[in-house]
Every structure is written in structure tokens, then in C-alpha cells.
Amino acid sequence: MTQAEWGELSTVLFWPTTLLLYLGAMLASMYAHAFTSVARVDAHEPVAGRRGQRIATGLATLGVLTHLFHLVARSLGSGGRVPWGNMFEYSSVTAFIVVAAGLVIFQWRLRKPQIMSMLLLGAILTMGIALLVYTDPGPLVPILNSHWLKIHVAAIVLAAGVFTTAFVFNALHLLRDTAERRVAAARSPAGSTVGAAYAGDLLEDEDEFTEAVPERDAVEDGVLGDDLEDDRAYGLALRAAINPRALFLGSWVAAATMSWVWLDLGRFLGVNTVFALAALVAWWFLPHLPSAATLDALTYRTIAFGFPIWTFAVLAGAVWAEQSWGRYWGWDPKETSAFLTWVGYAGYLHARATRGFKGRTASILGLGAYWIMLFTYLAVNLVVTGLHSYAGVS
């Protein structure tokens, strides 16, 4: 095959093939958890919805394979270089890392398929951004054609995938914690925040709850019970705490502030609507997530894993800068913003280690650090003038 044919194949493998496979996997997984009874005890398998979850896992695995083939074809279509030389490729590799790591760590090792649904959503949104900055396969500009591209950008994109996963956990933790606090407040006049211990109070209609419980012969003994009641209570609490109309409009406005730079009305409206609809999907599915404490712990461990990788990437970038421009550091906008991202996540880890910050305060710090990274990724690359740029981005 010629380079042009490899390039065309890589595009088809990315869209519609991989994107639709991820979308199907996300919807199948959410269906399995939202419309069937799923055990909340880690030692047990789901009582129902096994077929839906198997379909979701199969689609996600197939999507990872087609995504990997896309990256290989993209490399061959660009003359054999590494497939992370511009913003489109950077976004594509980030999404690949999120889904591949999600399958290996959270789906198979930790056996928390509920989390995989939201990671797929994050990957789909990342791939949507990639389509907005699509660039045809081709060679790199000479300044980027260095062996340090393989080292520096590979580390940056790996850390970005890890931090994107942590961002999903941070956002979900804040919403799940809101539900647990409301459930606790409904049970205790003193306002205790031990949500799981006070889950039953929002179930005012006992008959309604009884109808939601599957027949006994379809349930394995000892798996359901209070945990299913907790899910029902948290679902009611979340829907009482979050207005879906306000969430839709807020998500649309937030997406608008990020996508205005493309100045293309069709793509502008499309990406904003997709972001807003994604927020509504997340709102609908949130009651089926793990506890706030679990999400908080996962966030901390994920950021602690990604931080050394980002640190190495910044140092490698300084070495690359010295070879390219004759200085290690010049306070270029991209360099400065990458350093501020490092400061943000260092502050998060420092607060957790020395001040004992946990829960909502820690999540807010983590979200702030991620938004700095997102500013580096979008605004600095597309708006701010500097030495750093991705080849071929128009």
C-alpha cells in the first residue's frame, strides 16, 4: 500500500470505526448497569446484565484494536514516523491510553465496569476534539523531527491520558459525594455525611421500591439487599440535587468557551451539543457508580501515578529545547503553561500528603490542575503565539 492509502485507511479506522465501537461499548455498559440489577459487593459478579456487559467489553476491546491499527496506519501514512506529531494525533493517542488502561486496570483487574463506562465517555469526547483539529498524515516540520519527539511527547501524552482518567474520577466524586450528603441529611437531622449508612430515607414509597427489586429466583442469595436500596436512594438524591436543564445549558456554554477558536458554525454547534448531551448521559448514569470514598481514592492513586511521568516529560522537553534553540528554558507560553500544570498537580499531592486534604476539597484542586493542562492543550496551541506548535494544524 502507498502512503496515501495508509493515510486513508487510518482515517476510516478512526472515524467512524473506532469512535462508533467506543460509543456502542459505552451505551451497552450503561444499559447493563442502569436497567438491570448489579451487585454492589466487589466479591460477586453482577446478578443480571451479564450479556450487556459482555457485549460492552467486546466492543471496547475491538475498539482498542482498531484504534491501535489506526495509529499504525497513521504512522505508515506519514512516512514511518511516530503517530503523535500534531494535535489530532496527540488527542487520538490520549483517548487510546484512557480506554486501554481502563480495560486493563478497571475492567479486568479491579472489576469495576461501572467506571469503564465513564472512561469511554471521556475518550469519546477527546476523539471528538481530535476531529475538530484533524490534520492529514504527512511529514513533520524539521524542528520537530528529532528523537526527542519520541521521548518528550510520548511521556506528555501518557501523562495526559492518566490525568484525563483522574479528571473523570474527580468530577464523578463531586457528584457522587453530593448524593451521599443529601441521603445522609435526609436520615439524620444532625447532617451526618456517612451516605451509605443512611441510604433508605429517600425511599418514601415502600411499594415503589419493592417493584424495583427483581424476582427472588433471579437473584443470588446475599448479593442484593441494602445495596440496591442505596442505589435507589442515591439516584433520587442526584436527581433532586442537579437540574438537567441547567446541566445541559451549562455544559453547552462551557464547551462554547473551548471551541470558539475554530470559528466554524457547523463544528461549533456540533461539538457543543455533543458535550451537553454527554453531560446529560453522565447525570443519568451517576447513581450506578462506586462510592465517593472509592472514587476519591482512585483519583489520588491515578494522579500520583501520572505526576512523575509529567515531571519527566517537562525535563525531557527542556533538554529538547536546548538542542533545538540553545537554551533549556525560555518561558515560552507552552513551557510556562506546562510548568503551571506541574505546579497544580504538585499542589494537589502536597495538600493530600501534608494537610490531609480529601474529598471535595481535594477534588476541586484536582479539577483546577486539569483545567490548567486543558488550557495548555487548547488555548496555548491554538490561540497564544509561541515557539511551540503542532505541525499542520490550521
Side-chain angles (χ1 to χ4, degrees):
M1 294 178 65
T2 64
Q3 285 191 18
E5 290 173 334
W6 279 115
E8 292 176 0
L9 177 61
S10 72
T11 302
V12 173
L13 287 172
F14 185 85
W15 166 258
T17 307
T18 300
L19 194 55
L20 291 181
L21 284 171
Y22 286 166
L23 179 62
M26 182 193 73
L27 294 177
S29 181
M30 288 184 173
Y31 176 86
H33 292 287
F35 290 104
T36 58
S37 302
V38 179
R40 305 298 297 172
V41 182
D42 292 342
H44 295 277
E45 293 294 327
V47 174
R50 289 192 181 94
R51 181 177 299 176
Q53 191 55 55
R54 289 194 191 104
I55 292 173
T57 302
L59 289 175
T61 303
L62 184 59
V64 167
L65 293 176
T66 59
H67 204 157
L68 178 61
F69 293 153
H70 151 75
L71 295 175
V72 173
R74 179 82 182 187
S75 176
L76 296 174
S78 302
R81 64 171 177 83
V82 292
W84 51 74
N86 52 56
M87 284 190 69
F88 167 77
E89 295 170 357
Y90 181 100
S91 304
S92 177
V93 176
T94 300
F96 173 79
I97 291 171
V98 170
V99 180
L103 281 173
V104 173
I105 298 173
F106 302 106
Q107 176 84 24
W108 293 324
R109 185 176 182 277
L110 298 182
R111 301 199 178 276
K112 293 185 180 296
Q114 317 97 306
I115 292 176
M116 191 63 210
S117 304
M118 304 308 296
L119 292 180
L120 283 165
L121 176 58
I124 289 169
L125 295 179
T126 303
M127 294 175 70
I129 294 175
L131 288 174
L132 291 175
V133 292
Y134 176 78
T135 304
D136 291 326
L140 296 172
V141 295
I143 194 67
L144 290 178
N145 194 14
S146 165
H147 65 277
W148 282 103
L149 174 72
K150 303 178 181 68
I151 301 172
H152 167 67
V153 182
I156 282 285
V157 74
L158 177 58
V162 174
F163 287 155
T164 299
T165 303
F167 167 75
V168 172
F169 294 156
N170 264 323
L172 297 178
H173 168 263
L174 286 175
L175 293 174
R176 178 73 184 196
D177 182 70
T178 298
E180 293 186 7
R181 287 170 181 266
R182 291 180 65 92
V183 170
R187 286 294 301 220
S188 172
S192 170
T193 58
V194 186
Y198 304 98
D201 253 31
L202 294 185
L203 301 173
E204 298 177 354
D205 190 342
E206 183 176 355
D207 292 336
E208 180 183 1
F209 170 66
T210 303
E211 293 175 359
V213 178
E215 293 296 327
R216 193 64 196 173
D217 58 5
V219 179
E220 295 177 4
D221 291 339
V223 178
L224 291 178
D226 293 339
D227 292 323
L228 181 59
E229 187 175 346
D230 290 353
D231 278 350
R232 176 66 174 155
Y234 292 141
L236 294 176
L238 276 169
R239 282 152 181 74
I242 304 173
N243 187 319
R245 293 181 181 177
L247 180 63
F248 183 90
L249 293 176
S251 302
W252 202 95
V253 171
T257 61
M258 293 190 295
S259 61
W260 67 271
V261 294
W262 288 290
L263 300 178
D264 182 318
L265 182 61
R267 291 191 295 177
F268 176 85
L269 294 175
V271 70
N272 294 347
T273 302
V274 168
F275 268 69
L277 290 174
L280 287 181
V281 170
W283 171 83
W284 166 71
F285 182 70
L286 281 172
H288 307 280
L289 290 171
S291 68
T294 298
L295 291 169
D296 186 43
L298 288 173
T299 302
Y300 174 68
R301 293 179 181 180
T302 305
I303 292 177
F305 176 77
F307 181 72
I309 302 174
W310 187 272
T311 302
F312 170 78
V314 172
L315 295 175
V319 176
W320 189 8
E322 195 278 332
Q323 290 192 356
S324 300
W325 299 310
R327 85 307 187 265
Y328 288 100
W329 198 266
W331 296 105
D332 178 77
K334 189 74 169 288
E335 296 170 351
T336 304
S337 191
F339 173 70
L340 291 177
T341 301
W342 183 89
V343 171
Y345 281 110
Y348 170 90
L349 293 174
H350 179 75
R352 294 280 308 227
T354 61
R355 302 288 297 178
F357 281 12
K358 294 182 180 180
R360 300 180 72 87
T361 304
S363 289
I364 292 172
L365 290 175
L367 290 177
Y370 185 80
W371 282 111
I372 298 174
M373 191 188 78
L374 202 61
F375 176 83
T376 306
Y377 170 58
L378 291 174
V380 175
N381 279 328
L382 299 176
V383 179
V384 180
T385 302
L387 292 172
H388 292 78
S389 64
Y390 286 98
V393 176
S394 59

